[in-house]
Amino acid sequence: MVINKCGRIPVKRIYYLLGVLFLMNGCATVTLQDVTSTNRQNLLRLSMGMTKNEALNVMGTETKTAKVVLHQYGNWAETPIESMKINNPYRNEILRGKDNKTFEVLYYVTDVRKSDTNTSEDELTPLVFDNGKLIGWGWNFLNDNVQKYELRIR
């Protein structure tokens, strides 16, 4: 660091450092696409039979604030950017079916179908647990078990 004769840092140097810090902060912006991409990559690290805690460690449990560029009227240049909080997992539920069979389902945001601040079912991927163990994930797996065990979904 350069210090002048008076033992002070020159003002130009301070402005330079503040500018660099400002730019670095802007580069650290998390977008909705970043969150979904990370969640999709984490799905590849899951294994059947993992405990719920192991799966949560792989998928993450943090809440992220993501920037969303809203696409309206076919014009990207004039669209606003909004923030949206994304919980990991996004939501969870207990499904009950015949013979008192229960599954716990955790849903993670893994897709962006429409660039907005609303999350629809088709933008989520379910992780299905039976007695605290991961038995599968994805809509096909969940739907097969819904039919097999006559599970009630809200």
Side-chain angles (χ1 to χ4, degrees):
M1 177 134 330
V2 176
I3 299 177
N4 65 17
K5 294 181 221 175
C6 299
R8 295 185 182 141
I9 300 170
V11 174
K12 285 183 185 179
R13 181 76 56 169
I14 291 172
Y15 285 130
Y16 174 78
L17 291 172
L18 288 173
V20 168
L21 289 173
F22 179 77
L23 288 174
M24 286 174 51
N25 185 37
C27 294
T29 300
V30 175
T31 66
L32 179 57
Q33 287 75 12
D34 294 334
V35 173
T36 59
S37 177
T38 298
N39 284 346
R40 281 193 310 273
Q41 290 171 1
N42 288 342
L43 285 174
L44 300 174
R45 298 175 40 221
L46 293 175
S47 300
M48 301 284 277
M50 282 182 157
T51 65
K52 179 181 171 186
N53 283 339
E54 289 170 333
L56 287 169
N57 285 335
V58 168
M59 293 301 296
T61 57
E62 66 282 352
T63 297
K64 296 183 179 177
T65 300
K67 299 289 183 191
V68 180
V69 177
L70 301 178
H71 181 240
Q72 298 171 338
Y73 313 115
N75 186 354
W76 286 97
E78 297 177 15
T79 56
I81 295 178
E82 290 190 23
S83 292
M84 128 182 227
K85 287 202 181 286
I86 301 174
N87 295 320
N88 264 345
Y90 184 75
R91 76 167 202 263
N92 65 335
E93 63 186 352
I94 303 293
L95 303 180
R96 292 183 186 359
K98 68 179 183 180
D99 301 326
N100 292 324
K101 186 67 175 169
T102 61
F103 292 107
E104 183 174 9
V105 185
L106 305 179
Y107 296 88
Y108 282 84
V109 180
T110 54
D111 253 321
V112 179
R113 303 276 187 217
K114 183 177 178 188
S115 188
D116 60 12
T117 56
N118 298 317
T119 302
S120 58
E121 292 286 314
D122 61 348
E123 295 174 317
L124 303 173
T125 297
L127 278 61
V128 183
F129 295 87
D130 184 12
N131 292 320
K133 296 283 186 187
L134 182 64
I135 60 168
W137 56 92
W139 285 105
N140 288 339
F141 182 83
L142 179 59
N143 290 333
D144 288 347
N145 280 284
V146 164
Q147 290 177 358
K148 181 177 178 181
Y149 295 103
E150 298 175 14
L151 299 170
R152 290 181 295 279
I153 296 182
R154 59 180 176 100

